[in-house]
Amino acid sequence: MKKFDVESNTRKLTGIAAGIVFALLLAFSLFQLYTGAFGQYTAYIQRTVHLGFALTLIFFLFPAKKSTVRNSVPWYDMILILLSIVVCAYWPLFYDTLVQHIGTISTTQLIIGSIAILLVLEASRRAVGLPITIIAVCFLLYAYLGPYMPGMFAHRGLTLHQLVDSMFFTTEGILGTPLQVSSTYIFLFLLFGAFLVQTGVGNYFNDLAITIAGKRIGGPAKVAIFSSALQGTISGSSVANTVTTGSYTIPLMKKLGYHRNFAGAVEAAASTGGQIMPPVMGAAAFLMVEFAGVSYWTIAKAAIIPAILYFSGIWIMTHFEAKKMGLLGLPADQIPKYNVVLKKLHLLIPILVIVVLLFQGFSIERTALYGILSTIIVSLFLKDTRINFTKFIEALTSGARTALGVASATACAGIIVGVVTKTGLGLKLGNSLVSIAGSISTNVQMQLMLTLVFTMITSLIIGMGSPTTANYIITSTIALPAILALNDMLPVAIPVLAGHMFVFYFGIIADITPPVALAAFAATGISGGNPIRTGVNASKLAIAAFIIPYMFVLQPQLLMIDTTFFEVLLVLVTAVAGMVAVGAGMIGYWYTKLNWIFRIISVIGGLMLMYPGLYTDIGGVIIFVFMLITQFISNRNQSKGEPPAQVATN
């Protein structure tokens, strides 16, 4: 975790410093619970207090360099801590004066705002990573040097006073929408996840997954897929999910006979998908509530079919790989008894509570609070799941610790959003992408496809090393306008939610896309495999994630937008059938091994089934049936004329 996840690379403090950090973490969570239950303070106070806790704790916990001493806080970090407190206390202390003079700042406020910007940049560098910090600095330079920019990217430019004012003394910069979501929705759901962990629900997910999938062909790989999908409910980090479930599943897969690069890839691909798994998705999904202007229930509902297709694709390919290698499932003595699993079934009640409340239209904050309360109540049913006072405090502190990376990322991303808002850069970039696509082809549909490809590449590049939250904020600000700009030329407009889901998906799968595939790299720490080969295998297993976003832009029924049950059913059936064909072609096995010609045919047929349209569906069905018949005949002839293949033992 510490090697591949920046957010886990913290100091191990002792003595007074450890006590101060503990008190701050506890106070941070109690503040968020109080405002969630009894109402938030005004926007500036709520967000600056949230930011103040985050900055202070980051400079306590995160070293300036990985190689620095971990058990003490150096003098320069103590200065940064004091500056964080002063800067973030400025708004609550002088609130009345500041709101009366919005739009103009004094020299003192210029200094305060400048320090705030520098503190946010440094905190995000430490807690999130260098990529997002570099991007934010480039955007600040762009805002200041506007008159010197070339061509269409030139603008009037912002003076230093204007820049600092917009970044810290309005809600268009650091204190903007991203930080607002972090200080409300996201924090409470991170607390919900922390309380779930204290009940032992993570281990229960593993047991449940083993019980359901352990005996099947290639059992451990399917356990990894199932448990990682469940773990996504309590973890918004691809790396954390990979390490948590992978520490158990990857050794099992290797023991069964899977190659270490494939075993690590299965876990990385499945764990990355945890962020798209409803009902509680990654932190970026909560940002989408504000950015797309829809309810969280609408987002969770829209994500159901894409999530099913994503995990179905991984499941199908691991199944074909196991069949090709002759791998069995786990022996009976390694499968938990059904009565043991059923005994703790009540641990899933809080997740059910979340689903019901979201469906009933409860606010996100209220839903999260009831989720936490229900977790505490159901934990009391059994002694080994019970949340006592010690576990209660541990949940509060661990939840606050988890929120630090999100808070710094959203604050830093607010700088980028603020610059885009002030300079109109998002519209300019969108128009430039559309212009490039238009110069290549005059066909509107082809322009759309090219624009989607350019947006995908942008999302993947920005996602290399950036957390999903920051990636989504940046791409939805600078790349999404390009997709939506085509609506005036298209016969049927692309729904706004489909565009947001497009960049959201590619921001997530950047974690398994080489060369910087953080989740795949983390998996190799357990599997002992090659990072690049593991990343390539993970990308192959998650091929659905590279196809599905195009599908729901072209066919919004996948997101349950303006559709009927039978339309959704038809889309789902053809898409799953397409995933079977694509998976067989990618792995090179169906009922028997496929040569390269049949592999290509299988992939083409699968893509035709997944691409929306009557004629492509008909063509895909013909190819699918052809492959089924030829594979069935080949398998029957092989079973008659050859001895049975040797099967790997457990």
Side-chain angles (χ1 to χ4, degrees):
M1 282 285 286
K2 288 184 177 180
K3 184 176 181 181
F4 298 107
D5 186 11
V6 177
E7 295 180 31
S8 299
N9 189 44
T10 57
R11 295 184 177 109
K12 294 182 179 179
L13 299 175
T14 58
I16 296 175
I20 294 173
V21 167
F22 172 80
L24 286 172
L25 289 170
L26 190 59
F28 196 6
S29 287
L30 291 176
F31 168 77
Q32 296 291 159
L33 283 173
Y34 176 81
T35 56
F38 300 104
Q40 300 168 21
Y41 292 100
T42 57
Y44 290 110
I45 294 177
Q46 178 78 19
R47 299 172 199 181
T48 49
V49 171
H50 179 82
L51 180 63
F53 273 116
L55 292 179
T56 302
L57 285 162
I58 286 170
F59 292 125
F60 261 117
L61 291 170
F62 290 83
K65 294 181 180 179
K66 288 186 177 182
S67 57
T68 54
V69 179
R70 303 290 172 83
N71 58 359
S72 62
V73 182
W75 62 269
Y76 52 84
D77 276 349
M78 292 304 300
I79 293 175
L80 294 179
I81 289 168
L82 291 174
L83 287 174
S84 299
I85 296 170
V86 170
V87 163
C88 292
Y90 192 78
W91 258 109
L93 290 175
F94 299 99
Y95 176 78
D96 291 337
T97 303
L98 290 172
V99 294
Q100 290 174 9
H101 297 88
I102 285 180
T104 58
I105 58 172
S106 63
T107 303
T108 301
Q109 290 159 4
L110 175 67
I111 296 171
I112 291 289
S114 300
I115 294 173
I117 294 171
L118 294 174
L119 289 173
V120 167
L121 291 173
E122 174 60 10
S124 65
R125 183 192 71 81
R126 295 190 187 193
V128 183
L130 194 57
I132 186 177
T133 308
I134 293 174
I135 294 172
V137 170
C138 290
F139 271 73
L140 287 171
L141 291 173
Y142 173 77
Y144 186 70
L145 302 174
Y148 308 102
M149 293 292 110
M152 63 179 291
F153 293 103
H155 61 94
R156 293 177 58 186
L158 300 177
T159 65
L160 186 60
H161 278 73
Q162 290 173 329
L163 188 59
V164 172
D165 178 38
S166 63
M167 289 300 108
F168 192 65
F169 293 99
T170 71
T171 54
E172 294 179 350
I174 292 172
L175 306 180
T177 299
L179 190 66
Q180 178 252 322
V181 178
S182 174
S183 65
T184 53
Y185 314 151
I186 295 177
F187 193 101
L188 292 176
F189 267 95
L190 290 174
L191 268 185
F192 171 64
F195 275 93
L196 281 178
V197 169
Q198 292 303 316
T199 67
V201 73
N203 292 330
Y204 178 69
F205 282 158
N206 272 345
D207 290 343
L208 184 62
I210 295 168
T211 303
I212 294 173
K215 291 183 180 179
R216 301 180 182 277
I217 294 173
K222 293 174 180 177
V223 169
I225 297 166
F226 200 87
S227 61
S228 295
L230 293 172
Q231 285 282 0
T233 301
I234 60 174
S235 171
S237 167
S238 302
V239 175
N241 203 352
T242 299
V243 173
T244 303
T245 56
S247 60
Y248 174 76
T249 58
I250 291 175
L252 272 182
M253 282 188 271
K254 290 174 63 180
K255 183 179 178 182
L256 188 68
Y258 282 108
H259 191 277
R260 57 190 178 183
N261 291 331
F262 190 85
V266 171
E267 182 57 54
S271 293
T272 299
Q275 295 186 68
I276 62 173
M277 189 66 185
V280 183
M281 301 155 66
F286 295 100
L287 289 164
M288 201 184 300
V289 172
E290 297 295 331
F291 279 58
V294 296
S295 68
Y296 185 80
W297 171 251
T298 301
I299 294 170
K301 183 181 69 172
I304 292 173
I305 294 179
I308 291 172
L309 293 178
Y310 179 87
F311 286 102
S312 295
I314 302 174
W315 184 288
I316 288 164
M317 279 190 264
T318 55
H319 177 76
F320 285 142
E321 180 74 13
K323 287 184 69 176
K324 184 172 74 172
M325 297 178 66
L327 304 179
L328 300 175
L330 292 171
D333 60 354
Q334 293 186 27
I335 307 293
K337 302 298 181 183
Y338 278 101
N339 61 337
V340 175
V341 175
L342 291 175
K343 185 180 178 182
K344 294 185 178 180
L345 194 61
H346 64 281
L347 293 178
L348 300 181
I349 291 177
I351 299 172
L352 182 62
V353 169
I354 292 290
V355 174
V356 171
L357 293 181
L358 288 173
F359 180 75
Q360 292 294 326
F362 278 65
S363 68
I364 299 177
E365 296 99 322
R366 192 65 57 184
T367 299
L369 289 171
Y370 284 133
I372 293 170
L373 182 61
S374 64
T375 303
I376 296 171
I377 293 172
V378 299
S379 76
L380 303 176
F381 294 174
L382 293 175
K383 184 177 180 180
D384 58 338
T385 66
R386 192 168 298 151
I387 295 179
N388 53 28
F389 180 75
T390 302
K391 288 184 176 181
F392 182 83
I393 298 299
E394 175 62 25
L396 292 177
T397 55
S398 63
R401 187 183 287 258
T402 305
L404 299 180
V406 177
S408 58
T410 51
C412 190
I415 293 174
I416 298 167
V417 175
V419 171
V420 170
T421 302
K422 281 290 184 182
T423 61
L425 180 61
L427 185 60
K428 293 175 182 178
L429 286 172
N431 289 336
S432 65
L433 289 179
V434 173
S435 298
I436 294 171
S439 66
I440 297 173
S441 174
T442 56
N443 182 275
V444 176
Q445 288 295 331
M446 182 57 68
Q447 287 182 36
L448 172 60
M449 293 302 295
L450 289 170
T451 303
L452 291 176
V453 170
F454 297 152
T455 305
M456 174 191 73
I457 294 170
T458 302
S459 299
L460 290 175
I461 292 174
I462 293 174
M464 292 179 181
S466 296
T468 307
T469 47
N471 189 351
Y472 168 71
I473 294 168
I474 298 168
T475 51
S476 64
T477 303
I478 66 175
L480 177 61
I483 300 175
L484 300 181
L486 288 168
N487 274 346
D488 293 337
M489 295 184 285
L490 293 170
V492 180
I494 301 167
V496 173
L497 180 58
H500 280 276
M501 289 288 286
F502 186 89
V503 297
F504 173 62
Y505 249 71
F506 283 112
I508 288 171
I509 60 173
D511 279 348
I512 53 172
T513 306
V516 185
L518 294 181
F521 278 44
T524 60
I526 301 170
S527 68
N530 178 279
I532 298 299
R533 290 180 181 176
T534 300
V536 170
N537 279 329
S539 297
K540 182 172 71 173
L541 287 169
I543 188 66
F546 292 90
I547 300 172
I548 293 168
Y550 291 90
M551 290 175 59
F552 56 59
V553 168
L554 299 172
Q555 196 168 24
Q557 291 94 330
L558 273 175
L559 302 178
M560 300 190 194
I561 297 175
D562 298 330
T563 187
T564 65
F565 171 77
F566 291 105
E567 287 177 334
V568 170
L569 184 63
L570 178 62
V571 169
L572 182 59
V573 169
T574 56
V576 170
M579 279 310 310
V580 171
V582 169
M586 297 292 289
I587 298 298
Y589 191 93
W590 203 321
Y591 289 115
T592 61
K593 288 186 178 180
L594 301 175
N595 61 35
W596 66 271
I597 295 176
F598 280 104
R599 291 180 72 170
I600 293 173
I601 292 173
S602 183
V603 170
I604 291 173
L607 292 175
M608 291 178 71
L609 281 168
M610 298 178 75
Y611 187 86
L614 176 62
Y615 295 113
T616 54
D617 282 350
I618 292 173
V621 168
I622 292 171
I623 294 175
F624 189 86
V625 172
F626 167 76
M627 289 298 300
L628 274 180
I629 294 172
T630 55
Q631 280 292 291
F632 177 77
I633 295 172
S634 176
N635 183 50
R636 187 175 64 178
N637 292 338
Q638 186 177 8
S639 62
K640 285 182 178 179
E642 298 180 6
Q646 292 294 316
V647 179
T649 62
N650 293 305

